[in-house]
Amino acid sequence: MRRIQMTEHSLLKQLEPADAKEMFWLTDTNRSYLRQWLPWLDYTKRVEDTEQFIRMTMNQYSNNQGIHYGIWYKGRLAGTIGVHNIDWINKKTAIGYWLGAQFQGKGLMTNAVSAYMDHLIFTSWGLEKVTIQAATENYRSRAIPERLGFHLEGVLRRNEFLYDHFVDHAVYSLLRSEWEEIHRRKKMLD
Ligand SMILES: CC(C)(COP(=O)(O)OP(=O)(O)OC[C@H]1O[C@@H](n2cnc3c(N)ncnc32)[C@H](O)[C@@H]1OP(=O)(O)O)[C@@H](O)C(=O)NCCC(=O)NCCS
């Protein structure tokens, strides 16, 4: 399984069927908190549903369409990060993520998105552009691309149906040239 060590205590590790039990527990114990912003909670009722999702991500990986990682913090599964298929023709992709509520506030997701871009999107895969979409009122999620220097491209109106209502999406993007510039500046400061 592929892995990326982020800090002494945090690690990205490719999701595998053996993670299904812990991932389902994390989902099930965070159901109402996650349901506010994610559309798939009602389709995840049993460990087998989580295992099916993990197998889907493994197929995605085999088809060269991106990888889903579990985010591990001090040996516990804290959340996940992955991409929604890669558009190889236009050299771009979109990142999606979530954390259990108890793992918020530690910079885990900001670090995970940054590591994902450093190791895969702009390096191994050589893509030109990455996007992150979040509901306009999902301020914690929007803060992640904002913290990492993404640009706000605009708002997609009534873009997602969440159980009983539509939400608008803010669309953020980062280009390869911008990512290189951020790294160049970081190096100068080191
Ligand atoms: C979106 C979500 C992942 C954001 O989680 P988060 O903990 O706010 O994000 P991070 O892990 O990057 O942590 C950032 C927080 O840690 C703090 N932090 C501590 N150390 C940090 C570090 N080294 N780097 C960055 N931030 C750090 C930041 O100040 C920030 O806290 P604040 O909001 O109180 O200022 C989480 O709220 C979530 O999963 N929500 C439900 C599902 C969801 O909305 N998914 C996204 C759909 S688009």
Side-chain angles (χ1 to χ4, degrees), residues 33 97-99 104-110 133 138 140-141:
Y33 144 80
Y97 45 67
W98 61 271
L99 283 177
Q104 292 183 118
K106 304 176 194 305
L108 273 177
M109 195 55 80
T110 302
Q133 279 186 205
N138 190 350
R140 290 196 82 101
S141 183

Side-chain angles (χ1 to χ4, degrees), residues 7 30 33-41 71 78-80 84 95-113 132-135 138-144 147-148 160 169-170:
T7 65
N30 278 284
Y33 144 80
L34 293 173
R35 214 172 178 277
Q36 192 184 357
W37 300 119
L38 299 173
W40 43 261
L41 274 301
I71 301 168
T80 74
H84 308 287
I95 293 179
Y97 45 67
W98 61 271
L99 283 177
Q102 65 271 44
F103 295 103
Q104 292 183 118
K106 304 176 194 305
L108 273 177
M109 195 55 80
T110 302
N111 287 343
V113 172
I132 291 179
Q133 279 186 205
N138 190 350
Y139 301 114
R140 290 196 82 101
S141 183
R142 293 185 63 170
I144 293 168
R147 222 177 263 127
L148 290 170
E160 186 176 33
H169 273 174

